[in-house]
Amino acid sequence: MTWITRALALLALLASPLAAQDAIADSPEPRTELVVLETTLGEITLALEVERAPITAANFLRYVDEKRLDGTVFYRAMRLDWGDQPNGLVQAGTQMHPDRILPPIAHEPTSVTGILHKAGTISMARYEPGTATGDFSIMISDQPGFDARPDSSDPGQHDGFAAFGHVVSGMEVVRAIFDAPTDPEKGEGWMKGQMLADPVRIVKARRAN
């Protein structure tokens, strides 16, 4: 190898970290699609991660486009009494109504999508992985316990829940739903006492213009 070749190789090594940084800086943000939920307490605008969580986001958009969420409600406020307050989530959707639900979708774990359960994140409700249909939750606070942990010794934590977007405006509406009174007699099992006494109606859900 001549001294010129060596010099060129050294320059390439020195320049590569800067080139990599420039490439990262110039890379576009993952594509999202905006959806507005018009509720009786105000509007909530969501950015759905159609690029990073394509299956889950497309499922939600189908519910929106087919007007299957119109007239559904926010029916649950899960309030956790530990950690920084407020702590918990609100839940809404089709509640397995036979005229509204679509077939279940494949599970997209956070370990694949990279979308973590932070405050304002929207995530699919489910029973077992692969059973999500038309119910969803919005995080009031960070919920790392909902993220997938494939290396956990607890098999129940391997898959986590499928996060697929976040609130871009209207968190004050989400908080108002969270703060609405619950009925201590409504709900079953560990969800008893988490159901809103007067569910908050989703008047309509539409893609933003």
Side-chain angles (χ1 to χ4, degrees), residues 57-171:
N59 175 70
F60 193 86
L61 287 170
R62 185 177 172 189
Y63 276 89
V64 169
D65 293 341
E66 296 181 8
K67 302 181 181 179
R68 293 174 181 267
L69 295 178
D70 293 8
T72 61
V73 295
F74 281 90
Y75 55 85
R76 179 186 176 208
M78 184 182 79
R79 297 166 185 158
L80 304 175
D81 59 6
W82 63 81
D84 295 336
Q85 297 298 317
N87 187 13
L89 57 80
V90 295
Q91 191 167 321
T94 56
Q95 296 182 275
M96 298 301 291
H97 191 291
D99 294 335
R100 292 182 181 273
I101 62 168
L102 295 166
I105 57 171
H107 183 62
E108 290 181 307
T110 59
S111 54
V112 172
T113 65
I115 308 166
L116 303 181
H117 288 84
K118 303 291 187 179
T121 296
I122 181 171
S123 181
M124 292 304 297
R126 63 164 176 81
Y127 296 107
E128 297 300 319
T131 63
T133 54
D135 285 64
F136 60 93
S137 302
I138 298 177
M139 308 298 119
I140 293 292
S141 53
D142 293 358
Q143 299 296 334
F146 282 25
D147 295 335
R149 285 184 269 180
D151 298 329
S152 173
S153 59
D154 180 0
Q157 295 182 336
H158 289 178
D159 297 300
F161 289 80
F164 64 101
H166 61 278
V167 175
V168 294
S169 67
M171 271 305 289

